[in-house]
């Protein structure tokens, strides 16, 4: 798990009024630093997720009794959602670097709150496969929104 909450908020002001070196330093810390930290964690995390998918049966057997079964489809959907979640952070770092706080706040509604809402819509018919689909859909929406918001002027 990577929790990277470091960053700077300087220089503040209009672009033509700020020091170019201070601006470059801010970009390095907030965008390049965050991307470098994510890059360092991304491949090992993806490999771990792949191993968990490949060996989800023995892992589940260690954690739960025999009545709990996870299908390959459910595991794949949760894996896909996890990959989309990590992918959504790349434009999110851009939004932070651009100080797009409204977009960041709105986008946050498209992650876990959307997931919970989709689970609630399933009601008594909720299955692990539906939960996995809701997880993947939530983070697909979050990633697409973050990419859209970052590219919007």
């Amino acid at each position: 798990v990577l929790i990277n909450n470091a960053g700077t908020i300087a220089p503040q002001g209009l672009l033509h009024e700020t020091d170019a070196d201070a601006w470059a330093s801010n970009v390095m810390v907030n965008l390049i630093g965050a991307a470098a930290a994510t890059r360092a964690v991304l491949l090992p995390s993806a490999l771990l997720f792949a191993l968990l998918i490949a060996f989800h049966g023995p892992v589940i057997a260690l954690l739960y009794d025999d009545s709990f079964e996870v299908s390959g489809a459910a595991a794949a959907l949760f894996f896909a959602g996890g990959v989309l979640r990590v992918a959504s952070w790349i434009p999110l770092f851009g939004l932070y670097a651009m100080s797009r706080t409204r977009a960041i706040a709105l986008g946050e509604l498209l992650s876990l709150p959307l997931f919970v809402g989709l689970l609630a819509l399933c009601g008594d018919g909720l299955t692990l496969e539906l939960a996995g689909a809701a997880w993947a859909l939530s983070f697909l929406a979050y990633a697409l929104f973050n990419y859209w918001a970052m590219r919007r002027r």
Side-chain angles (χ1 to χ4, degrees):
V1 174
L2 170 66
I3 300 174
N4 184 11
N5 199 26
T8 63
I9 58 170
Q12 294 184 1
L14 299 175
L15 183 60
H16 69 278
E17 296 174 352
T18 58
D19 178 59
D21 290 336
W23 180 253
S25 175
N26 185 45
V27 169
M28 289 298 289
V29 170
N30 292 328
L31 184 60
I32 307 300
T38 301
R39 179 185 263 168
V41 171
L42 189 60
L43 184 58
S45 296
L47 290 173
L48 180 60
F49 276 132
L51 286 171
L52 286 174
I53 296 299
F55 298 105
H56 75 276
V59 171
I60 295 299
L62 288 172
L63 299 174
Y64 300 98
D65 66 26
D66 292 338
S67 66
F68 185 80
E69 292 185 30
V70 178
S71 70
L77 286 165
F78 278 106
F79 175 73
V83 170
L84 288 165
R85 184 178 188 191
V86 172
S88 72
W89 298 339
I90 297 166
L92 181 62
F93 295 148
L95 290 172
Y96 275 109
M98 296 162 46
S99 299
R100 302 283 301 278
T101 54
R102 287 187 182 144
I104 293 165
L106 182 59
E108 289 302 313
L109 295 174
L110 296 172
S111 58
L112 293 177
L114 177 59
F115 174 61
V116 170
L118 291 172
L119 293 181
L121 287 175
C122 291
D124 292 337
L126 182 63
T127 63
L128 277 176
E129 289 77 14
L130 284 175
W135 179 256
L137 182 62
S138 298
F139 285 105
L140 175 63
Y142 184 52
L144 290 174
F145 176 83
N146 285 346
Y147 277 103
W148 172 82
M150 186 183 70
R151 297 183 57 81
R152 200 182 105 232
R153 300 241 178 234

